[in-house]
Amino acid sequence: MTSRSARWTPAAGRGPRSVSASWPVEPLPERGLGGLLAEVPAAADEPLVHEGTTVTVSRADVEASVDALAAVLAGLGIGAGHAVVVALPNGVGIVAALFAVWRVGAVYVPVNPRSTPGEVTHVVAEAGPVAAVTTPDLADRFALPVIVADEGGWTTDAGGPVDGERRDEDIAAISFTSGTTGRPRPVLMRHSGVLELIDGVIGSLRTKPTDRPPGPPMPNLIPVSMSLWAGI
């Protein structure tokens, strides 16, 4: 079985903390959420992602991680409309996974790493992903080709190409309702719809460093907003 891997060099001191990001001032891209990263005008060594209040990761490191994972996904034949389930802790890795999935045209399916095996099985059955991106200790929960995040790299022992359902190319993500009145239900989120909904959030995040008030970085509200929409 062929092993694929891709690595990048992360900033020191990374850990599972809250994440925030710096965004540009230009208008939202028309080509979808994956285009947001390319629109960031930051220099290669400028902080792009903040983990907590003390650790920063540069644009170059984030882009290298996105490129590396996108290469592994593409190597497995994952492309437009394929769903990819991602179960990672908070950190730069989950930001890279989000954009890497979108870069190859696939659909992002987030799973809480603390989900029970039964909850994971339900998400996989409903979303129909062709692969999973997760940590080594969670890999055995997915009866799928698995890409493992370990020490800043992305590796897989899966062969390719994968085969599975392809959704409309405008589908950006599949989130799930909270399940307070029954089993969680999948909610399809379109690139066009999400971009419109988060326009105000992106506008707030896309302020120049000189325009921001002093203090710790602003929390990334996009994942929170996506979760809230799914529950409405």
Side-chain angles (χ1 to χ4, degrees):
M1 190 173 291
T2 303
S3 176
R4 297 179 174 84
S5 65
R7 295 197 171 275
W8 62 294
T9 304
R14 291 173 48 236
R17 304 180 179 89
S18 61
V19 180
S20 61
S22 304
W23 300 91
V25 181
E26 286 75 12
L28 294 171
E30 295 182 0
R31 59 182 174 278
L33 292 161
L36 289 174
L37 186 60
E39 299 294 326
V40 178
D45 59 349
E46 184 176 338
L48 184 67
V49 175
H50 302 268
E51 294 186 347
T53 58
T54 59
V55 178
T56 59
V57 184
S58 71
R59 173 182 179 144
D61 278 347
V62 174
E63 288 190 330
S65 187
V66 172
D67 290 343
L69 179 54
V72 175
L73 293 170
L76 292 176
I78 296 172
H82 282 139
V84 177
V85 63
V86 177
L88 294 172
N90 286 344
V92 66
I94 200 167
V95 176
L98 183 68
F99 283 101
V101 168
W102 287 336
R103 179 162 294 180
V104 299
V107 180
Y108 182 82
V109 184
V111 169
N112 190 326
R114 294 176 291 182
S115 297
T116 66
E119 290 169 335
V120 170
T121 299
H122 175 68
V123 169
V124 170
E126 291 290 325
V130 297
V133 179
T134 191
T135 55
D137 57 315
L138 296 178
D140 61 358
R141 292 193 178 188
F142 298 93
L144 295 165
V146 173
I147 299 161
V148 171
D150 60 344
E151 298 182 0
W154 310 98
T155 60
T156 183
D157 291 326
V162 300
D163 185 28
E165 178 184 359
R166 289 180 184 265
R167 290 177 171 78
D168 184 332
E169 293 185 19
D170 191 40
I171 302 300
I174 302 176
S175 189
F176 281 76
T177 60
S178 61
T180 54
T181 60
R183 297 299 297 273
R185 297 183 301 277
V187 178
L188 303 183
M189 298 181 173
R190 294 185 175 275
H191 285 275
S192 53
V194 173
L195 281 169
E196 182 176 351
L197 286 169
I198 65 175
D199 189 22
V201 176
I202 293 292
S204 296
L205 293 173
R206 284 178 163 184
T207 54
K208 297 179 181 179
T210 53
D211 296 334
R212 298 180 193 134
M218 179 181 177
N220 189 342
L221 301 180
I222 296 174
V224 176
S225 299
M226 292 177 73
S227 298
L228 290 174
W229 301 330
I232 293 175

